[in-house]
Amino acid sequence: MRQPVLALPGPLFGPYPESTSSPALPPLLASLRARFENTALSLHSRQRTLARDLARVRKHLAAMPPMPGMQLRQAINIARAELGRDGLESDAALRCMAGVLVCVRAVTGHNLRDNQIMAALAVLRGQLAEMPTGEGKTLATALAAATAALAGVPVHVITSNDYLAARDADQLRPLYRLLGLRVSSVGATHKRDERIEAYAANVTYCSAKELVFDYLRDRLSPSPTTAETDAGTSTRVLRGLCMAVIDEADSVLIDEAMTPFILSESCADPQQIALCQLALQIARELQTGQHFASAAHGCQLLPAGEAIVDTMADANDAALWSVPMYRRELVTLALTALHRYRRDEHYIVRDDKVHIVDPNSGRVAEGRAWSKGLQQMVEILEGCKPTPATRVLSQITFQRFFPRYHRIGGLSGTLREARRELLEVYGLSVVVIPPHKPTQLRVTPPVIYARREARWQHVIDAIIEHHATGQPVLIGTDSVRDSELLSRLLAARGLPHRVLNARQDREEAELVSRAGHAGAITVTTNMAGRGTDIHIDTAVAALGGLHVISCQHNSSRRIDRQLHGRAGRQGQRGSAETCLSLDEGLLGRTIPAAVRRLLGAILNSRGQLPLPVARALAGLTQSREDARARKARRRLRSQDETARQQLLFGRPAE
């Protein structure tokens, strides 16, 4: 259980509050609790609790002054005094929330719907709220953050990227100002002094990446004293980890859980570049299956390959190259760069630089670089100027970082599939918030072809069919390469369209906002965390709404729902379909060639697998890949904990 007392900088929690108790649950206990929380009785109980508190908020709202003024300010101040004493689950919190609702109405002109208030209540309780796309998560997040900030808790609102952080903070600044609160945002361009000022605000909007790197830098600074904090002379940037409200919580806590965030410094070594070039030269001569094999996270040298590498011991006079283990590791790294990392899928080359593509968002991962020499290896492979080698100063994963907050809440449109892991790792429960209108989204079963050419032809035909009626079409692809291939196919047919991938990520808000216009065709790599709703007008709704075509077979059904959920928002009409092929993507990677040949023998007259087989095959491969990813995250968490205990041997715990 999380600390019931409000955690904030001061005498009780110190100048830099940070939780040292792990909220994680053992796998068996997490499984049993997840099963219990998914029962009809438990679901009904949680929703009944939220509905009860919603009624109390509505009652307090009716008693509040209808417009902001001295009377409302006095009512909020009285509730604030009790809130700091009684906590975020008290009646004082409900009265504060009612006061915030009055200010929301005055600033935005919106009366928040019941489901938005219920989502905010869940977040304040330290839960994760599943709320469908387009239901108003931004204002629900602000309602929760403002209520917590009124209690004096420094709140970090975590968004998908710097653009969304700055946008939301700017748009909501009048609301926070009316409540007497200061809001700010942190981005990659901000200097240290600007960051200190931003984190000193009551509510700070930031991306998870910027936040975790600021935390790592803080850990390298001396621990602040209360006197230093009060005087504003602390060398640390953050004020601790008191409360986090995470937008797109599943993307951050699950999909990016294994990404190591590494704080490093340059240690330029000209010899290292020459050794990387030599390793690449050797790796190009090695044959798969004979000299090396693919492994879980890269390539692995076989004995025949190690023998060839060892014959090259005199190829360079660098001292490191004479060490057999170092030679083999460097050639293995070169093999991984050559055979496992693909241009326009894992990275793009822009302005003569290698930019990593975030697999979860489809965007360029600004400021991120591969570690252990892989970045330099890929740069040399692509003919770019190698960046200086780096030395690791500190690193952490989200699985270790976010449990250090005293209180976590969050929202997303797709959480229920991950509820067991969220309990197991973070101790967080998932509450499903119903939409304010029943969904009208029609999702058809997946269509699977034997060959990619037939798949792309089906996609083109479907686009033409819907475009002819004026219905907007959104197509989700697996990679930059696939998005550009589809773009060329559409251009060849004379179909006007827009492409949103890592090359166009700076224009994403404008591209996404137009995707719902009549006749629009938009090709994208990933829609998770795009942060901009696709609006459709009445005329488009009459045509059937937005039609989504998924060319992605993701590792989790949850990620499929992120794309499908772009259509049919707020009870509007919409439709979605999935079109795959056996020779690429997840099916191509996980189904043996012999099995694919057998499946090719049962294709129907249109070259498709029979519907029951396609449905079962898509579900089976997806569930197996999802299970594999969960095991990998659990293994990494175990390794992290073992390494932490070894580092702490003989010293007090962190």
Side-chain angles (χ1 to χ4, degrees):
M1 293 293 292
R2 296 198 176 274
Q3 176 62 255
V5 179
L6 293 179
L8 51 135
L12 184 59
F13 289 93
Y16 200 94
E18 180 180 353
S19 178
T20 56
S21 59
S22 173
L25 294 176
L28 179 59
L29 183 57
S31 176
L32 292 173
R33 181 174 163 186
R35 287 176 182 273
F36 169 75
E37 291 196 352
N38 196 41
T39 62
L41 179 63
S42 180
L43 290 170
H44 178 69
S45 175
R46 293 203 299 278
Q47 293 204 346
R48 185 174 58 192
T49 299
L50 288 177
R52 181 197 65 205
D53 284 350
L54 169 65
R56 292 164 65 190
V57 171
R58 290 292 187 194
K59 182 179 178 180
H60 290 312
L61 180 60
M64 286 281 176
M67 290 297 293
M70 183 60 69
Q71 191 179 357
L72 176 65
R73 190 172 296 113
Q74 289 175 344
I76 292 177
N77 286 339
I78 293 172
R80 286 181 74 171
E82 298 177 23
L83 181 58
R85 181 193 65 212
D86 299 337
L88 297 178
E89 298 175 30
S90 63
D91 188 68
L94 303 184
R95 281 186 281 134
C96 272
M97 184 174 285
V100 176
L101 287 170
V102 174
C103 294
V104 170
R105 183 173 58 206
V107 170
T108 68
H110 295 301
N111 288 306
L112 293 197
R113 296 184 295 270
D114 287 353
N115 63 339
Q116 291 174 288
I117 300 173
M118 291 171 70
L121 287 167
V123 169
L124 282 182
R125 286 192 173 87
Q127 298 173 326
L128 301 178
E130 178 174 295
M131 192 175 182
T133 300
E135 291 289 321
K137 290 195 290 291
T138 300
L139 285 178
T141 297
L143 178 58
T147 304
L150 286 171
V153 179
V155 181
H156 298 155
V157 179
I158 297 162
T159 64
S160 299
N161 56 54
D162 293 350
Y163 161 75
L164 293 178
R167 184 202 69 179
D168 290 353
D170 289 341
Q171 289 181 352
L172 294 166
R173 186 164 282 109
L175 168 64
Y176 289 109
R177 185 185 298 121
L178 189 59
L179 289 163
L181 301 172
R182 192 165 72 86
V183 65
S184 63
S185 65
V186 172
T189 60
H190 289 166
K191 305 300 182 185
R192 183 177 178 278
D193 289 346
E194 295 173 308
R195 290 171 185 266
I196 292 175
E197 183 180 359
Y199 287 119
N202 303 100
V203 180
T204 306
Y205 284 75
C206 54
S207 69
K209 177 176 74 73
E210 291 301 321
L211 181 64
V212 77
F213 279 122
D214 283 333
Y215 174 76
L216 289 176
R217 282 187 282 266
D218 277 356
R219 283 170 58 82
L220 297 177
S221 301
S223 299
T225 64
T226 303
E228 288 174 334
T229 302
D230 292 342
T233 58
S234 171
T235 57
R236 294 193 170 187
V237 172
L238 297 169
R239 290 190 291 155
L241 305 180
C242 300
M243 180 174 181
V245 180
I246 308 174
D247 189 19
E248 303 296 344
D250 55 331
S251 293
V252 173
L253 299 177
I254 299 296
D255 299 331
E256 297 186 46
M258 290 186 65
T259 302
F261 290 87
I262 301 171
L263 186 64
S264 59
E265 65 179 3
S266 296
C267 52
D269 181 3
Q271 278 193 335
Q272 181 69 19
I273 303 303
L275 294 179
C276 286
Q277 292 170 334
L278 176 58
L280 276 169
Q281 178 184 337
I282 297 171
R284 288 189 175 98
E285 303 298 322
L286 302 182
Q287 303 297 317
T288 182
Q290 181 181 353
H291 301 118
F292 70 93
S294 292
H297 301 292
C299 294
Q300 182 177 359
L301 278 173
L302 299 175
E306 291 180 350
I308 291 178
V309 174
D310 288 344
T311 63
M312 306 294 289
D314 299 327
N316 191 289
D317 59 2
L320 277 174
W321 187 255
S322 64
V323 180
M325 182 176 292
Y326 178 82
R327 288 196 305 270
R328 295 171 184 176
E329 287 184 354
L330 202 60
V331 172
T332 299
L333 194 66
L335 288 168
T336 300
L338 281 167
H339 300 286
R340 295 298 296 272
Y341 286 82
R342 292 178 287 277
R343 181 171 177 167
D344 294 339
E345 181 175 345
H346 300 103
Y347 64 92
I348 64 170
V349 177
R350 186 169 66 192
D351 301 328
D352 198 34
K353 294 181 180 179
V354 170
H355 300 270
I356 298 174
V357 175
D358 189 320
N360 302 305
S361 68
R363 301 183 184 91
V364 166
E366 295 289 355
R368 190 182 300 176
W370 290 302
S371 61
K372 300 180 180 178
L374 180 60
Q375 182 76 22
Q376 290 75 26
M377 198 70 76
V378 173
E379 288 167 341
I380 294 170
L381 178 64
E382 292 293 345
C384 301
K385 181 180 179 180
T387 55
T390 57
R391 179 172 66 91
V392 174
L393 298 176
S394 182
Q395 69 181 71
I396 200 169
T397 61
F398 285 159
Q399 291 185 120
R400 284 179 53 212
F401 172 68
F402 280 106
R404 300 183 181 198
Y405 273 92
H406 283 275
R407 185 179 293 261
I408 305 175
L411 304 95
S412 180
T414 49
L415 284 166
R416 69 187 74 175
E417 292 89 349
R419 60 187 177 275
R420 173 180 170 180
E421 188 171 356
L422 290 166
L423 274 171
E424 181 181 324
V425 180
Y426 306 100
L428 294 171
S429 298
V430 173
V431 180
V432 178
I433 308 295
H436 77 286
K437 290 182 181 179
T439 181
Q440 295 190 63
L441 177 64
R442 294 182 297 105
V443 181
T444 57
V447 174
I448 301 179
Y449 288 89
R451 304 290 299 172
R452 69 191 72 184
E453 295 82 7
R455 189 274 293 270
W456 288 121
Q457 186 58 54
H458 174 103
V459 171
I460 294 293
D461 291 343
I463 293 171
I464 291 173
E465 177 185 347
H466 290 279
H467 181 68
T469 68
Q471 190 176 7
V473 184
L474 176 73
I475 309 99
T477 61
D478 266 332
S479 63
V480 174
R481 182 188 296 111
D482 280 357
S483 68
E484 293 179 343
L485 168 61
L486 180 56
S487 177
R488 290 194 295 271
L489 294 174
L490 291 170
R493 302 295 290 268
L495 292 168
H497 62 281
R498 305 291 295 273
V499 178
L500 174 57
N501 59 33
R503 301 191 200 280
Q504 290 82 24
D505 56 359
R506 294 168 186 166
E507 301 87 36
E508 70 172 64
E510 185 263 338
L511 290 174
V512 173
S513 65
R514 295 189 177 189
H517 292 185
I521 300 174
T522 307
V523 181
T524 182
T525 47
N526 195 301
M527 291 303 297
R530 288 292 177 184
T532 304
D533 286 336
I534 299 177
H535 297 277
I536 62 172
D537 57 26
T538 305
V540 169
L543 297 172
L546 178 68
H547 182 70
V548 173
I549 303 176
S550 175
C551 301
Q552 306 168 333
H553 192 203
N554 298 295
S555 61
S556 171
R557 182 173 173 270
R558 174 176 52 81
I559 305 176
D560 290 341
R561 290 204 293 130
Q562 290 174 357
L563 178 60
H564 293 165
R566 292 292 166 171
R569 60 184 297 275
Q570 294 194 19
Q572 297 169 333
R573 296 175 64 191
S575 53
E577 64 176 300
T578 300
C579 187
L580 309 170
S581 66
L582 290 173
D583 61 347
E584 62 182 356
L586 183 60
L587 294 174
R589 293 194 304 271
T590 58
I591 300 178
V595 176
R596 292 202 298 270
R597 286 194 294 270
L598 288 174
L599 291 170
I602 60 172
L603 300 176
N604 61 24
S605 58
R606 296 186 298 277
Q608 305 169 354
L609 286 178
L611 179 58
V613 177
R615 195 196 300 262
L617 186 64
L620 177 62
T621 55
Q622 198 167 57
S623 61
R624 289 180 61 185
E625 183 68 10
D626 196 18
R628 185 203 63 78
R630 282 199 307 273
K631 288 179 181 177
R633 290 190 290 268
R634 186 178 298 161
R635 185 168 58 249
L636 175 65
R637 192 167 69 253
S638 176
Q639 291 169 352
D640 272 355
E641 181 60 24
T642 300
R644 189 181 75 88
Q645 293 297 335
Q646 290 173 347
L647 287 172
L648 292 174
F649 182 74
R651 292 189 288 151
E654 298 177 322

